Amino acid sequence: NVEDLSGLPDGAVDHFQSEGIESLYPPQAEAVEAGICAGESLVAAVPTASGKTMIAALSMLSAIERGGKALYIVPLRALASEKKAEFDAFERFGVTTGVTTGNYESTSDWLATKDLIVATSEKVDSLVRNGADWLTDLTCVVSDEVHLIDDRNRGPTLEVTLAKLRQLNPALQVIALSATVGNADAIADWLDAELVDSDWRPIDLKMGVHYGNAIQFDDGGTREVPVEGSKKQEAALLRDILEEGGSSLVFVNSRRNAEAAARRLASTSGNHLTPEERADLADIAADIRDISDTETSEELATCLEEGSAFHHAGLANEHRTLVEDAFRDRLIKVISATPTLAAGVNTPARRVVVRDWRRFDASAGGMAPLSVLEVHQMMGRAGRPGLDPYGEAVLLAKSHDEMDELFERYVWADPEEVRSKLAAEPALRTHVLATIASGFANTRGGLLEFMANTLYASQSTEAGRLERVTDDVLTYLERNDFIEREGDEVAGATAETESDDDAGGFVSAATMAETEGAADDVELRATGLGHTVSRLYLDPMSAAEIVHGLEEADQRPSALGLYQLIARTPDMYELYLRSGDDETYGELFYEREAELLGDPPSEYEDARFEDWLSALKTGKLLEDWADEDDEYRLTERYSVGPGDLRGKVDTAEWLLGAAESLAAEIDSEWTVAVREARARVEHGVREELLELVGIRNVGRKRARQLYAAGLETPADLREADKSVVLGALKGEKTAETILENAGRDDPSMDGVSPDATKGGDGG
Ligand code: ADP
């Protein structure tokens, strides 16, 4: 019973009871028995929606009650705000929560006063690099979705961050929450933690495959779900569950497919709406159109009016939240989603349909099957405790053979093992530099020792691999001036003597061993540039590219030149070249070649040339944005979602901010050009509007309107004839606020009428 728990802050038990939690779920009880309330580390590998958050909460609250401080690491920004909202309820009994996700350069000192901090793994990594003092006060760290250590892109950061936090405080309590994976015991070994490995679920899950006119379930049962005429299987499955009063999640493999499926399913869900539901949905659709004026937004609003929605990473955050809330309120009957929805965000449905079990994978050069782990996580979203009698998760087969294959591959299969991806070079490059720069290791030996505390080391069977890749990375970092090795000369000298000996035909094993021993003592130090790169949270390869580009520029670089340069770095996710783009951007390349920075590849270096063109396409998108093209046209022209455009702009802003610091570090004369290009991309404006957008509440559109009315600077606004301002801005309130923000003493617009001869519709 929750009542019997001890060691928690006063009021915590009442809080859980008010949330409807009276007794612990079995895995939670096991975790308490394993000692989580007494500082014991734990790996909890349990299915989605089985109450992992409660395990984390009990650990953190008891740690805080003992005078400690807790950190909750999430894999996605969207989850950070969700968790923060959940933990904010602890404020009632005096536990304060802070959240930090963005701004990789700050140490967020204000967090030192909070008991509980929620952050993404990238943010925690950067806090470690920037030496945030309060990190040493941490006594309990929770890592949510720890199986993501297996992720090629983001896994290494999480892995290294956990290793560093443990090095900072060897007594640290680590609570690792994981989906059910093949080797939870190995993760527990690595973290010196207890293990709760369970497949218990609060609500029964029936897994099956739909083929022909029925679902075959894993328990041997079947359910008739006939597919009529030319209808799709997912439409039949949706209608069937709607007739019972349930809702459905449909997982597909791409954004485009999510949108197409939502459009098609709208005709089915639309038939099951009451007039009240229609009215509520119409209101939400209006909110969606209000948030942004793009094709995606219009598309979403149109489907949503019929009770159907799509959900993918290209949606704006506000859109995503509206969709999730309306689905939980049972207004939306079906969401067609890409797998991002499965990894977090609490949106269960009675029936989950996994429509696509293959997706495009560039490294496989075609379609590749999803992992068992991913499919199980999607399936785990089925069933809302307290609302549904059970959850149903269904895969779709087009043939009898495919049905057999799906049972084998997913329904009966165990999830894969989690394997460290740290030995991949881009990951090591970044983390080796950061480890040296932040002082976690200052010799080669120390570095290898630190590496020995990673999951990679505990899983590696190939002797010497980590050491070899680490040495390659050290060489790369030294060559690009990010680190210095001291004592190198000594090692070099020994090697020379050795080869002399060699000439004489004699090298003793002892001499060899000694040489290696000396190499271990070689002192490693980050250079000024190296420190900057690590602090900026850049991939060293990105930094090298930028530094090189700036050094090679013999005249003031143009915005496009800078945008293309940062788009070339591994930190910017480039736009793909679509058919026809080769030609378009090939032409643009020759036209504007003089503006591009660094060494352009020749046309015969296929891969590199293509890379330059993709970067040019991305750079051109940014230039168009900074030339004030409107959002709608840009998303059309480049076939991207509004969320993608935002993402590119944010990344560009960050990389150019970093480029500015690098420019200062190498005494480049182009610092101002970089700063200007950054400001233009930040606000999406041409140079002449930069002063105006510095005023609060003046965005790109308003700035352009003001400028067109002859108001070019904040000073102009302070002195202008009010009727001109009003004519340019339309709306008294807006005009007043802006005049006030521009520092005008008498912003009031009482009795002023707009001057129709200037401004007006001039925007
Ligand atoms: P997970 O993190 O494992 O996906 P959550 O922690 O989000 O799952 O829990 C899913 C739901 O179950 C939440 O709504 C939570 O309030 C509820 N819950 C958790 N533990 C209990 C419990 N012991 N009794 C009743 N409900 C619980």
Side-chain angles (χ1 to χ4, degrees):
N1 281 332
V2 171
E3 236 167 33
D4 303 331
L5 291 170
S6 56
L8 298 173
D10 279 346
V13 168
D14 286 346
H15 165 70
F16 290 125
Q17 287 175 330
S18 75
E19 296 276 285
I21 302 181
E22 293 290 342
S23 59
L24 295 180
Y25 286 160
Q28 296 166 344
E30 256 186 80
V32 170
E33 270 159 42
I36 54 164
C37 293
E40 196 62 59
S41 291
L42 178 85
V43 171
V46 292
T48 324
S50 307
K52 288 192 283 284
T53 312
M54 179 73 175
I55 294 179
L58 293 174
S59 315
M60 296 190 296
L61 291 175
S62 53
I64 292 165
E65 180 64 8
R66 289 193 301 275
K69 190 180 181 74
L71 173 68
Y72 191 104
I73 307 177
V74 289
L76 296 171
R77 273 182 200 211
L79 283 178
S81 32
E82 189 177 288
K83 289 297 167 195
K84 156 96 164 83
E86 209 171 325
F87 300 148
D88 269 343
F90 300 163
E91 185 111 38
R92 273 197 255 163
F93 46 89
V95 170
T96 53
T97 303
V99 64
T100 172
T101 52
N103 192 0
Y104 291 146
E105 282 173 72
S106 84
T107 53
S108 305
D109 290 331
W110 61 277
L111 289 171
T113 62
K114 303 287 181 188
D115 300 313
L116 197 171
I117 290 133
V118 182
T120 55
S121 37
E122 282 73 16
K123 179 67 193 188
V124 180
D125 184 22
S126 81
L127 287 166
V128 174
R129 292 180 193 205
N130 289 298
D133 286 333
W134 55 268
L135 286 173
T136 49
D137 302 337
L138 291 176
T139 56
C140 175
V141 168
V142 177
S143 173
D144 197 358
E145 312 259 350
V146 78
H147 54 266
L148 291 176
I149 279 188
D150 195 81
D151 185 287
R152 195 164 293 284
N153 298 317
R154 315 186 52 205
T157 300
L158 178 57
E159 179 178 346
V160 167
T161 301
L162 286 175
K164 283 182 180 166
L165 291 173
R166 294 179 72 211
Q167 185 165 328
L168 279 176
N169 175 7
L172 185 69
Q173 176 182 26
V174 180
I175 305 292
L177 309 177
S178 168
T180 16
V181 294
N183 60 341
D185 54 339
I187 303 179
D189 275 351
W190 168 51
L191 294 172
D192 300 310
E194 299 289 315
L195 173 65
V196 171
D197 191 358
S198 158
D199 51 18
W200 183 89
R201 290 176 44 100
I203 176 163
D204 276 345
L205 177 63
K206 287 169 68 162
M207 291 193 275
V209 179
H210 183 267
Y211 165 60
N213 288 321
I215 310 173
Q216 280 293 334
F217 283 109
D218 53 347
D219 61 5
T222 56
R223 176 173 170 134
E224 292 277 312
V225 184
V227 181
E228 285 157 16
S230 64
K231 285 266 177 198
K232 301 255 180 193
Q233 285 167 291
E234 57 270 29
L237 286 162
L238 172 63
R239 202 194 56 174
D240 174 67
I241 208 74
L242 283 172
E243 279 168 3
E244 264 189 24
S247 59
S248 187
L249 276 176
V250 178
F251 285 107
V252 299
N253 59 8
S254 73
R255 296 176 187 186
R256 190 184 296 240
N257 283 337
E259 295 182 15
R263 226 177 295 132
R264 264 201 318 272
L265 292 171
S267 61
T268 306
S269 59
N271 290 334
H272 290 80
L273 295 175
T274 64
E276 296 77 48
E277 287 175 330
R278 279 194 175 275
D280 289 347
L281 285 167
D283 286 346
I284 301 170
D287 289 347
I288 288 193
R289 291 190 171 101
D290 226 30
I291 291 168
S292 74
D293 172 24
T294 59
E295 200 182 351
T296 312
S297 169
E298 180 52 38
E299 201 43 67
L300 180 62
T302 310
C303 296
L304 195 132
E305 284 168 335
E306 299 295 315
S308 170
F310 52 88
H311 189 293
H312 58 58
L315 280 187
N317 277 338
E318 297 100 311
H319 283 159
R320 238 185 288 180
T321 312
L322 282 176
V323 167
E324 286 161 18
D325 289 345
F327 188 69
R328 276 192 288 263
D329 292 342
R330 311 175 76 167
L331 287 169
I332 293 180
K333 308 297 176 189
V334 56
I335 299 184
S336 302
T338 53
T340 32
L341 186 65
V345 206
N346 197 8
T347 46
R350 184 175 304 174
R351 181 174 282 166
V352 165
V353 176
V354 181
R355 195 195 73 179
D356 301 332
W357 57 276
R358 279 181 269 232
R359 93 173 131 225
F360 183 77
D361 179 349
S363 64
M367 302 299 275
L370 300 179
S371 69
V372 181
L373 181 69
E374 279 175 293
V375 171
H376 281 192
Q377 275 201 294
M378 295 180 209
M379 293 179 126
R381 289 280 151 209
R384 297 161 303 173
L387 289 173
D388 296 326
Y390 54 84
E392 263 184 20
V394 187
L395 289 144
L396 305 185
K398 298 267 179 287
S399 67
H400 205 279
D401 285 348
E402 191 181 5
M403 177 163 81
D404 289 344
E405 179 177 359
L406 291 178
F407 266 101
E408 281 301 315
R409 191 185 269 279
Y410 295 115
V411 179
W412 305 131
D414 290 324
E416 292 82 4
E417 298 197 338
V418 171
R419 312 281 319 170
S420 167
K421 299 289 185 284
L422 185 58
E425 256 202 49
L428 267 190
R429 210 156 54 206
T430 305
H431 293 295
V432 164
L433 176 60
T435 303
I436 297 167
S438 55
F440 273 86
N442 43 31
T443 59
R444 177 178 178 274
L447 182 63
L448 290 171
E449 209 170 291
F450 171 75
M451 291 294 166
N453 290 324
T454 58
L455 178 66
Y456 175 77
S458 77
Q459 287 188 325
S460 179
T461 47
E462 191 189 329
R465 165 114 196 268
L466 184 63
E467 196 168 334
R468 227 173 24 248
V469 202
T470 306
D471 281 334
D472 288 348
V473 168
L474 287 176
T475 306
Y476 173 88
L477 293 174
E478 190 180 22
R479 201 171 346 109
N480 284 288
D481 241 358
F482 298 134
I483 62 165
E484 288 166 344
R485 286 194 253 203
E486 250 167 66
D488 263 359
E489 310 78 23
V490 183
T494 322
E496 239 171 61
T497 329
E498 221 180 272
S499 59
D500 283 344
D501 280 349
D502 205 339
F506 173 69
V507 182
S508 78
T511 321
M512 290 288 281
E514 236 168 67
T515 312
E516 274 175 30
D520 263 2
D521 294 338
V522 168
E523 207 177 305
L524 303 172
R525 241 197 354 241
T527 59
L529 188 59
H531 273 290
T532 305
V533 172
S534 172
R535 194 172 44 75
L536 291 171
Y537 207 76
L538 279 178
D539 178 337
M541 195 177 262
S542 298
E545 186 91 37
I546 292 172
V547 165
H548 182 70
L550 290 173
E551 281 173 348
E552 297 281 293
D554 41 22
Q555 50 186 341
R556 191 182 201 269
S558 72
L560 179 76
L562 289 165
Y563 297 153
Q564 196 264 358
L565 173 66
I566 54 152
R568 252 156 49 202
T569 67
D571 278 310
M572 174 74 89
Y573 202 73
E574 289 169 0
L575 293 173
Y576 283 115
L577 291 183
R578 295 173 196 271
S579 68
D581 279 357
D582 278 16
E583 208 172 310
T584 313
Y585 293 97
E587 271 168 29
L588 189 68
F589 175 76
Y590 292 115
E591 213 173 287
R592 305 189 61 178
E593 193 177 351
E595 290 177 52
L596 305 185
L597 307 170
D599 319 315
S602 90
E603 225 177 309
Y604 303 102
E605 296 173 80
D606 274 353
R608 258 196 88 209
F609 191 69
E610 188 149 315
D611 221 40
W612 267 62
L613 292 190
S614 307
L616 183 58
K617 182 178 177 185
T618 313
K620 183 77 176 99
L621 166 73
L622 294 167
E623 189 193 48
D624 288 353
W625 163 254
D627 277 345
E628 297 172 44
D629 270 8
D630 78 52
E631 229 181 312
Y632 182 81
R633 276 222 297 277
L634 285 176
T635 52
E636 289 248 292
R637 186 177 313 146
Y638 293 92
S639 321
V640 293
D644 298 311
L645 177 60
R646 264 281 125 217
K648 291 271 177 302
V649 167
D650 287 349
T651 309
E653 206 184 311
W654 163 61
L655 283 170
L656 287 164
E660 192 185 331
S661 304
L662 293 174
E665 186 67 43
I666 59 167
D667 289 325
S668 162
E669 51 188 314
W670 310 127
T671 320
V672 177
V674 175
R675 184 180 315 146
E676 210 173 270
R678 193 198 70 87
R680 286 189 54 202
V681 93
E682 176 184 350
H683 299 287
V685 296
R686 291 172 198 247
E687 215 172 297
E688 68 259 27
L689 297 188
L690 282 176
E691 277 198 72
L692 286 175
V693 290
I695 305 171
R696 211 148 52 84
N697 295 74
V698 178
R700 60 202 305 243
K701 288 193 187 135
R702 284 179 183 159
R704 183 47 68 191
Q705 284 157 0
L706 290 168
Y707 195 89
L711 303 162
E712 302 181 2
T713 61
D716 288 350
L717 277 175
R718 285 193 292 273
E719 286 144 26
D721 188 6
K722 281 183 185 171
S723 61
V724 177
V725 180
L726 191 57
L729 289 174
K730 304 176 199 114
E732 259 176 54
K733 195 88 204 73
T734 314
E736 279 176 12
T737 315
I738 287 171
L739 283 191
E740 197 177 335
N741 294 341
R744 189 154 178 156
D745 306 327
D746 60 335
S748 165
M749 285 283 162
D750 283 347
V752 178
S753 61
D755 175 352
T757 58
K758 288 188 192 166
D761 290 322

